[in-house]
Amino acid sequence: MHELYLKEALALAAIRRGFCAPNPAVGAVVVKNNQVLATGYHWAAGHPHAEVEALKSLNNQAQDATLYVTLEPCCHFGKTPPCTDLLIRSGIKRVVFGMRDPNPQVTNKSETILNKAGIETIYLALPEITHFYRSYTFWWQTKRPYVTAKIALSLDGKIAGAHGRRVNLTGVVAKEFTHQQRKRSDAILTTAKTIICDDPLLNVRLPNETFKKPVYILDSRLSIPLTAKIFDHAERVVLLHDKASQIEVNKFSAKNVQYVAVDRQDDGLHLLQILHLIGKDGVHDLWLEAGGYCFESFVRAKLLQRALIYVAPKWLGETAQTAFSTHNNIFQTVQQITWQSLGDDSLCELIW
């Protein structure tokens, strides 16, 4: 039964994935006599944690109950008090958690605190929960986000028409999958070229729900137009530039924009430095949506952890824009490759 309730807690955690950073998304279930008494999940940073949400309406009913939670309860003061204190006061007799928190302020410490208070703790690692927190773990290991890049190709390896003309490649199912992936990401990274050529919204649009996300834009010379739709459809915009002049910066003064000057490498902005800057913002999951050159640059720099390559059953011809600039195998270090169908399109998922 432990596994069943942990999976229920995981389903709750998934509800707010992509909206909790710099905190992880967490779900909790309170069970007594094989009956679920209450559930909860973390809404966003600064809001009550999942354990607090699950226990807030129970009063004395939590006495001798078991709390199932996806992540080891916190034991330190942050924006909210330690959950371990609440658990001790609540009368909970057992805590079952599915992942040790990689935060050094928490890992193994919460378990010790709860055990000393007479609360039994059980760590039950589930592959689904470990997978769910891979970006959070990666962030603690590297202090940069786990990067997933998306790109769509025709059967002949093209991403756009002649002269970069935008072509609608993928179908409805693939588009909805993309929006689901954006939703579970903490932020989106793109390029000035993508903004100029496609003028995308880069928000989340799913049936009956629309969400804005923070968007980071690689824009060496601050060249995107003031009329770009992204300014109205992003939660906030961060322009990563190559030490542009103050005059260029001032032209965006009427927009809700943050500017960050970064170093330059031979082939463009310093990508590793950029990822560390984004990591400092607490972004765990970063969704990269841009053109072939940017995609290839991240692969060559070994800065992608995951790639989603959509293959559409279309042939664009010799004059269309090729996805990648080289015939060399840029994917030779990939550790895992899986395929699935998305309507009429195919999806190749690469994991490094």
Side-chain angles (χ1 to χ4, degrees):
M1 294 299 287
H2 288 338
E3 184 174 333
L4 175 68
Y5 292 127
L6 278 178
K7 287 182 178 179
E8 186 172 342
L10 180 60
L12 291 164
I15 293 172
R16 290 295 292 175
R17 177 158 188 173
F19 300 93
C20 293
N23 292 351
V26 179
V29 177
V30 181
V31 177
K32 188 174 181 179
N33 299 325
N34 291 324
Q35 290 188 333
V36 174
L37 299 183
T39 63
Y41 53 86
H42 186 41
W43 182 261
H47 289 252
H49 288 187
E51 300 93 322
V52 178
E53 288 292 332
L55 290 167
K56 67 181 182 181
S57 63
L58 290 182
N59 299 319
N60 295 330
Q61 289 179 281
Q63 190 73 35
D64 295 329
T66 297
L67 175 80
Y68 293 87
V69 62
T70 52
L71 191 68
E72 184 177 4
C74 71
C75 58
H76 64 290
F77 279 93
K79 292 183 178 179
T80 57
C83 287
T84 48
D85 290 355
L86 173 64
L87 295 176
I88 293 168
R89 294 195 306 270
S90 71
I92 286 286
K93 74 171 183 179
R94 183 187 300 113
V95 173
V96 182
F97 62 95
M99 175 81 178
R100 292 196 186 281
D101 195 328
N103 182 347
Q105 290 184 288
V106 179
T107 187
N108 294 320
K109 296 176 183 177
S110 294
E111 190 170 10
T112 301
I113 291 170
L114 293 174
N115 285 339
K116 284 183 178 179
I119 298 175
E120 180 188 3
T121 58
I122 299 174
Y123 167 47
L124 180 59
L126 296 184
E128 300 95 326
I129 293 180
T130 301
H131 183 270
F132 183 83
Y133 288 117
R134 65 181 176 181
S135 57
Y136 178 58
T137 301
F138 182 84
W139 182 81
W140 271 109
Q141 291 170 341
T142 65
K143 286 306 176 80
R144 53 189 172 91
Y146 185 99
V147 184
T148 297
K150 169 258 183 183
I151 195 166
L153 316 175
S154 63
L155 286 175
D156 54 342
K158 306 301 175 67
I159 61 171
H163 309 296
R165 177 178 53 84
R166 185 175 183 178
V167 175
N168 191 15
L169 283 171
T170 55
V172 174
V173 177
K175 285 182 171 61
E176 181 168 333
F177 181 81
T178 293
H179 285 274
Q180 290 169 346
Q181 296 297 305
R182 285 182 188 170
K183 181 181 178 182
R184 70 193 300 276
S185 300
D186 299 316
I188 296 169
L189 176 64
T190 190
T191 64
K193 183 177 179 181
T194 298
I195 299 298
I196 292 168
C197 292
D198 298 342
D199 197 17
L201 306 184
L202 289 180
N203 59 358
V204 178
R205 301 183 303 280
L206 291 166
N208 302 317
E209 56 181 9
T210 302
F211 301 103
K212 294 181 177 181
K213 290 286 183 174
V215 177
Y216 295 81
I217 304 173
L218 305 178
D219 190 2
S220 296
R221 302 299 176 189
L222 299 180
S223 58
I224 64 173
L226 293 172
T227 55
K229 295 174 183 175
I230 196 68
F231 293 117
D232 295 321
H233 294 275
E235 181 181 298
R236 62 187 176 91
V237 174
V238 181
L239 297 178
L240 302 156
H241 63 91
D242 180 19
K243 299 178 175 61
S245 72
Q246 191 60 46
I247 293 176
E248 291 168 316
V249 168
N250 287 342
K251 77 176 184 179
F252 294 100
S253 59
K255 303 293 183 180
N256 181 24
V257 173
Q258 179 184 351
Y259 317 91
V260 181
V262 297
D263 295 332
R264 189 173 183 84
Q265 296 176 306
D266 293 338
D267 56 349
L269 296 177
H270 197 301
L271 298 182
L272 180 58
Q273 182 185 26
I274 286 168
L275 291 182
H276 278 294
L277 288 167
I278 295 174
K280 285 183 179 179
D281 286 344
V283 173
H284 305 156
D285 273 296
L286 182 64
W287 176 256
L288 173 60
E289 191 165 338
Y293 179 82
C294 182
F295 183 100
E296 190 173 343
S297 296
F298 271 83
V299 174
R300 289 189 174 283
K302 299 180 180 178
L303 294 176
L304 284 190
Q305 284 67 59
R306 177 173 173 249
L308 299 176
I309 301 178
Y310 301 71
V311 182
K314 296 179 180 179
W315 195 271
L316 297 187
E318 293 184 1
T319 61
Q321 182 178 321
T322 302
F324 308 119
S325 62
T326 177
H327 296 292
N328 296 328
N329 183 8
I330 61 174
F331 302 115
Q332 57 188 349
T333 59
V334 168
Q335 300 296 309
Q336 179 182 329
I337 302 176
T338 57
W339 286 87
Q340 70 179 88
S341 296
L342 294 175
D344 293 332
D345 305 307
S346 297
L347 173 65
C348 178
E349 180 178 6
L350 310 177
I351 302 292
W352 278 268

